[in-house]
Amino acid sequence: MKRYPKTIMATACLPWNESFEFMEEMFRQQVTDLQQMGLRHIYLFGTAGEGYAVSDEQFEHIVRVFASSSQGTDMQPIVGLISLSFQTMLQRAKKAYALGIRDFQISFPSWGALTESEMLRFFHEICGAFPDCRFIHYNNGRSKKVVSVKEYATLAAEIPNLAAVKYTALDMPTAYQIAMNDSPLQFFCGELGFGYAHLLGGECSMVVSLGLGHMERTWRMFEAAATNDLERLAMYQQELSGIREGILTIVGAAYMDGAYDKLLYKLTNPAFPLRMLAPYDSSTDEQYRQYRDFLRERFPAWLAPNSG
Ligand SMILES: N[C@@H](CC=O)C(=O)O
């Protein structure tokens, strides 16, 4: 039995005005839009959500707004903890907990790659401090230590509230390991990793990014995987591979994730600003228009109806 539901998880991005103040109403609108797209597992402060860049004050303010946006709904708010300082991660987790958050997305401190024993201490100390919470490990090369699927089997046995893994690696051998693993952890892969895992005869959950252009179609892809309709799944997989190629050509490959994910959500709300906190470069309105036109021309089925 998996410790986390099989579903599609999505990031919430952070809208900043010209003075780099958080745009609360724009953010609430985004959370509502994501919910209307059928998404229930929405996370803050991954890479796309600039979790590495916010100050403690911004963290608390935004979590407060996020938590209140989920009140009275069936949404499951997930808060990411990214910091070089483990103490800061713990303090942020305490603040979010006090605001009602029970699902966290954690990544290793990245100044140096954690050793085996440091990694264990990390999981024990943070997951152990909040035994009534669920933790999703964001397994990411940026934190210098990437955990293997095999290592997760051991971790799952030791850490009862480690519930899931966000693992957006694309390669087929990793997708195969994820597809075939029978640990209680729910693995979340990007759309293409999700497609590979199912085409290889296994299963996993999805973190959406490229598919946000048209969530209905992404849910159809999810459904095709669940019903083993491999022909349809392969078609979606091929289309999304073309879309990935397109966005990387238009925006370039050197940016932080927010440069892509803000542009992807902008297809739903063209007023959403692309700005990112300093010192990181954002994508531009011109790139947004080029990407929208590229979708319109090459992959119209993946373009949201109100994309400006
Ligand atoms: N773009 C997503 C997933 C990346 O690994 C995020 O930023 O959380």
Side-chain angles (χ1 to χ4, degrees):
M1 168 96 172
K2 297 282 184 194
R3 295 177 188 167
Y4 209 83
K6 180 173 178 177
T7 189
I8 303 182
M9 178 164 79
T11 182
C13 292
L14 307 181
W16 304 108
N17 70 14
E18 284 171 9
S19 310
F20 285 91
E21 289 151 351
F22 178 62
M23 299 167 77
E24 194 172 315
E25 283 319 309
M26 184 72 82
F27 178 80
R28 286 186 192 276
Q29 181 60 51
Q30 178 193 196
V31 173
T32 304
D33 287 342
L34 295 174
Q35 287 178 299
Q36 279 170 358
M37 292 174 192
L39 294 156
R40 293 292 168 269
H41 294 78
I42 301 175
Y43 65 95
L44 256 191
F45 301 140
T47 311
E50 298 171 271
Y52 56 87
V54 286
S55 67
D56 289 336
E57 290 72 23
Q58 286 166 329
F59 177 90
E60 190 168 353
H61 174 197
I62 297 167
V63 172
R64 196 178 290 282
V65 175
F66 186 51
S68 80
S69 314
S70 71
Q71 263 160 21
T73 75
D74 59 354
M75 174 186 144
Q76 188 60 61
I78 306 161
V79 167
L81 304 170
I82 301 180
S83 177
L84 282 184
S85 157
F86 185 64
Q87 295 313 312
T88 299
M89 289 176 66
L90 283 173
Q91 283 164 7
R92 288 184 174 189
K94 273 186 204 146
K95 283 189 177 140
Y97 186 94
L99 292 166
I101 300 299
R102 295 294 178 270
D103 278 13
F104 290 97
Q105 193 178 110
I106 50 174
S107 350
F108 296 143
S110 62
W111 194 250
L114 297 191
T115 64
E116 205 71 11
S117 61
E118 288 165 348
M119 175 178 84
L120 276 177
R121 188 169 173 201
F122 169 87
F123 282 115
H124 274 295
E125 291 202 9
I126 192 144
C127 301
F130 302 93
D132 59 340
C133 293
R134 294 186 293 193
F135 287 83
I136 301 170
H137 182 230
Y138 182 10
N139 196 24
N140 189 323
R142 292 183 196 277
S143 65
K144 300 201 173 71
K145 159 109 185 118
V146 175
V147 181
S148 71
V149 176
K150 208 166 149 201
E151 283 175 298
Y152 277 120
T154 317
L155 286 169
E158 277 205 36
I159 317 284
N161 55 343
L162 178 62
V165 180
K166 188 172 90 176
Y167 199 158
T168 52
L170 272 184
D171 68 280
M172 289 289 263
T174 308
Y176 180 78
Q177 288 172 3
I178 289 173
M180 297 306 161
N181 102 92
D182 58 359
S183 90
L185 305 183
Q186 184 68 255
F187 281 75
F188 284 84
C189 298
E191 292 93 336
L192 298 181
F194 170 88
Y196 290 140
H198 286 83
L199 290 167
L200 289 166
E203 60 174 327
C204 65
S205 281
M206 184 196 285
V207 188
V208 65
S209 58
L210 299 168
L212 204 65
H214 203 305
M215 258 327 282
E216 266 177 45
R217 195 167 181 81
T218 305
W219 281 113
R220 271 183 245 140
M221 176 179 182
F222 191 75
E223 195 53 35
T227 56
N228 219 17
D229 185 346
L230 299 189
E231 205 174 311
R232 229 155 40 92
L233 180 61
M235 174 189 79
Y236 294 133
Q237 184 82 348
Q238 191 184 30
E239 292 170 354
L240 286 169
S241 301
I243 290 175
R244 178 174 183 272
E245 188 74 15
I247 198 167
L248 288 177
T249 305
I250 291 163
V251 177
Y255 293 82
M256 293 300 243
D257 295 14
Y260 310 97
D261 289 78
K262 289 187 189 199
L263 188 146
L264 292 162
Y265 169 66
K266 198 172 168 72
L267 293 168
T268 300
N269 179 1
F272 197 84
L274 296 169
R275 286 178 202 97
M276 306 225 313
L277 287 180
Y280 299 99
D281 288 334
S282 56
S283 47
T284 63
D285 285 334
E286 177 51 27
Q287 286 167 333
Y288 164 70
R289 282 190 287 275
Q290 281 178 26
Y291 179 63
R292 183 202 55 198
D293 295 347
F294 158 80
L295 284 184
R296 191 170 281 152
E297 200 180 303
R298 297 274 312 280
F299 299 98
W302 285 97
L303 189 59
N306 56 336
S307 51

